[in-house]
Each structure stands twice: as C-alpha cells, then as structure tokens.
C-alpha cells in the first residue's frame, strides 16, 4: 500500500470510496460537495490517497488557515477495507502533516456519530453535535484536538503509519 499526494486523475477512485460509504457514513446529497472539493480544493488541502495496485482505498486531507486552525477534510476508507488500519494510517499521516506547522493550535473536524469514537481514540473531543447535520440520521459531530496540549504525545504516537494487520 502506498500513501501519496492526491492527483486530479484520482477523482474517480475517491468518488468510488465515497459511494461505498453511502448511506451509512455519508448522505447521498454530499457527493456533489465532495466532487466540487476534489475539483477545486483538494490540492490546497494536502489531500492524500492510500492506494494498492492502482486502486484508491482511502483518502483525506488537511486544510490549514492563517489563524492557527487546521481541519481534517473528507477523510474516508473504502467500505470493504474498514477496520484494517487504513483510517488510522490516514489520520496519523494528517497529524504528522499538522506537526510540520508549529503555528497550528487546533485541528477541527466534522464527522458523524458513527465515526466519533474513532476520533476520540485519537484525542479529539466533541465540541458540538447538530442532529441530522450531515443528512437524515447523520448527526454532525464537531470535534477538536489541541495541538499545543498534545504536540509531544502526537509526535511520539504517530511516527509509524503502517496499517494494522
């Protein structure tokens, strides 16, 4: 498996990853937003993919703004490859990216109640829940990780990004 920077030619593979996670993790209506993101913003958000033999298995990015807040954006794993360590590998890669920016104070994300526990295990804390915020039955769970409080721990715990087997 290879973790690498997103290229425009990866769009169809990333959309397939998205489609594999509908309707349990993403609402159908979010596909247009994701496609627009891939077309217009993925390169600026250090979007990455994990691929194996040319097939995209996971994707996700890290946006960084001038105020010291970064955001995990559009992270997902191909449904048939859930619970194989790819989500952790992708999250660790994005945490490592964030560590390269000493001005980042926080990483924020919005996920659903189905993925909340995964990010809590990485140290993120819930800041707000919006019922049905991502679509019918998909609450928007907003979460935050303080880099200042966790920088040393993160640099130690994310040094290996190999998938669990």
């Amino acid at each position: 498996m290879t973790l690498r920077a997103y290229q425009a030619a990866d769009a169809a593979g990333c959309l397939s990853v998205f489609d594999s996670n509908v309707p349990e993790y993403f609402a159908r209506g979010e596909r247009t937003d994701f496609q627009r993101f891939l077309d217009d913003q993925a390169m600026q958000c250090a979007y990455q993919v994990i691929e194996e033999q040319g097939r995209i298995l996971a994707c996700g990015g890290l946006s960084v703004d001038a105020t010291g807040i970064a955001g995990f954006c559009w992270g997902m794993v191909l449904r048939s490859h859930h619970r194989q360590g790819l989500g952790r590998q992708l999250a660790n890669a994005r945490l490592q990216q964030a560590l390269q920016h000493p001005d980042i104070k926080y990483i924020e994300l919005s996920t659903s109640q189905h993925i909340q526990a995964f990010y809590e295990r990485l140290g993120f804390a819930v800041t707000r829940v919006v019922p049905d915020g991502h679509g019918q039955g998909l609450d928007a769970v907003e979460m935050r990780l303080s880099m200042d409080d966790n920088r040393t721990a993160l640099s130690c715990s994310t040094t290996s990004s190999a998938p669990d087997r």
Side-chain angles (χ1 to χ4, degrees):
M1 281 184 239
T2 304
L3 174 72
R4 62 170 177 77
Y6 170 84
Q7 301 167 9
D10 297 325
C14 291
L15 287 166
S16 292
V17 173
F18 177 91
D19 292 340
S20 76
N21 285 289
V22 172
E24 293 172 71
Y25 299 98
F26 293 103
R28 287 191 202 294
E30 292 181 284
R31 191 180 201 276
T32 302
D33 292 337
F34 181 50
Q35 187 163 14
R36 190 175 308 120
F37 167 83
L38 292 173
D39 293 343
D40 301 337
Q41 297 175 306
M43 300 296 198
Q44 294 83 25
C45 291
Y47 209 64
Q48 299 179 76
V49 299
I50 297 175
E51 71 173 348
E52 182 175 57
Q53 299 175 347
R55 182 178 184 205
I56 305 294
L57 304 178
C59 48
L62 178 77
S63 63
V64 180
D65 71 16
T67 68
I69 298 176
F72 273 13
C73 48
W74 292 108
M76 62 193 82
V77 175
L78 189 68
R79 175 81 178 192
S80 61
H81 286 69
H82 285 192
R83 307 198 63 78
Q84 295 181 26
L86 296 176
R88 181 171 289 278
Q89 181 182 0
L90 186 61
N92 284 343
R94 294 185 288 170
L95 289 170
Q96 283 298 313
Q97 284 178 311
L99 288 170
Q100 303 307 309
H101 297 270
D103 295 336
I104 293 176
K105 296 177 182 84
Y106 299 101
I107 300 175
E108 297 179 334
L109 61 87
S110 181
T111 191
S112 74
Q113 71 272 26
H114 304 297
I115 307 299
Q116 174 183 341
F118 170 81
Y119 285 111
E120 286 175 331
R121 288 190 296 273
L122 293 174
F124 285 82
V126 174
T127 57
R128 185 170 83 138
V129 177
V130 179
D132 295 329
H134 288 302
Q136 183 72 25
L138 290 173
D139 298 344
V141 180
E142 297 174 7
M143 303 182 82
R144 176 181 266 194
L145 174 72
S146 170
M147 292 297 288
D148 292 337
D149 294 344
N150 293 295
R151 197 168 295 278
T152 302
L154 288 171
S155 64
C156 294
S157 67
T158 62
T159 54
S160 172
S161 60
D164 299 332
R165 295 228 177 229

